[in-house]
Amino acid sequence: MHLKLDEADINILNHLQINARISTAELSLLVKIPNYVVKSKIKRLENLGYIQGYVAVLNPNMVDKKFEALLFLKLSTNSNEFFETFRALIEEIPEIVQCDLMASPGDVLLRIVTKDIKEFGEVTLQKIYRYGGIESNTTHVVFKKMKGTYKIDLSRLLSQCIDRFYPKKN
């Protein structure tokens, strides 16, 4: 799929990952292409699904969400019907900010952000465990976030793009 990208596309994606609020005028100066081209490239990147959306990354402490935990769940069944029901349940719980199906002894990894451990207990006991279908669980409390980013490294993709458009002469 990335073969549809050129160097300008990748540079635009890199800049938008750092600051999604950058104006197209500023972006055109940084990537050295006209503003109207930047606008059309961004629209194309959105339509192709490279850009899934734009968000504001909040400081959890400032919005009274100071407790974070990772909850590994081993589910008692792996039927498609159960997974779809479970996925729908997870969508209904706003404290679950991430849910990943894992290739490990635990089937599902949930990232849960709450006000405190008491609220975490309420979410797990009253919203998740009461549903059933959970064989076992392991909770890991986050004491301090060492790194947290949504930025995806595109340097390899950029070098492949440059090599494709500007092949090395032998």
Side-chain angles (χ1 to χ4, degrees):
M1 183 72 135
H2 66 270
L3 296 178
K4 296 178 181 174
L5 298 180
D6 62 21
E7 185 177 352
D9 292 325
I10 296 167
N11 284 327
I12 288 170
L13 290 172
N14 271 325
H15 286 290
L16 288 174
Q17 285 189 103
I18 295 166
N19 178 9
R21 294 185 66 194
I22 190 170
S23 71
T24 55
E26 289 175 275
L27 200 47
S28 71
L29 294 173
L30 291 169
V31 297
K32 298 176 176 70
I33 58 175
N35 191 9
Y36 74 91
V37 176
V38 169
K39 287 179 183 179
S40 68
K41 283 184 168 292
I42 290 173
K43 192 66 165 164
R44 180 175 160 266
L45 292 166
E46 291 169 343
N47 291 337
L48 289 173
Y50 286 96
I51 299 172
Q52 294 180 328
Y54 302 90
V55 299
V57 180
L58 303 180
N59 179 340
N61 293 318
M62 299 301 290
V63 292
D64 203 23
K65 297 292 182 180
K66 298 176 176 149
F67 184 84
E68 181 176 339
L70 303 175
L71 180 62
F72 289 87
L73 301 177
K74 175 74 175 149
L75 304 177
S76 57
T77 181
N78 60 2
S79 72
N80 286 341
E81 182 181 321
F82 178 81
F83 273 118
E84 285 307 309
T85 305
F86 183 78
R87 190 180 60 74
L89 168 77
I90 296 306
E91 290 290 331
E92 297 294 318
I93 304 172
E95 294 86 357
I96 299 173
V97 296
Q98 185 174 337
C99 176
D100 297 308
L101 188 60
M102 305 298 289
S104 67
D107 295 316
V108 176
L109 171 62
L110 304 177
R111 183 172 155 244
I112 302 173
V113 178
T114 62
K115 177 181 178 179
D116 53 29
I117 195 164
K118 182 178 184 255
E119 185 179 9
F120 173 78
E122 292 167 0
V123 168
T124 55
L125 294 173
Q126 296 172 12
K127 296 182 180 180
I128 299 171
Y129 297 152
R130 78 175 169 88
Y131 172 73
I134 298 169
E135 187 177 302
S136 63
N137 69 81
T138 305
T139 301
H140 298 272
V141 175
V142 177
F143 290 121
K144 182 178 181 179
K145 189 173 290 287
M146 301 297 285
K147 180 179 181 178
T149 183
Y150 292 99
K151 188 174 186 302
I152 297 172
D153 179 21
L154 301 177
S155 58
R156 185 169 173 221
L157 191 60
L158 181 59
S159 66
Q160 289 171 351
C161 179
I162 291 170
D163 290 346
R164 190 171 68 245
F165 287 103
Y166 308 103
K168 295 176 184 164
K169 296 178 182 176
N170 292 337

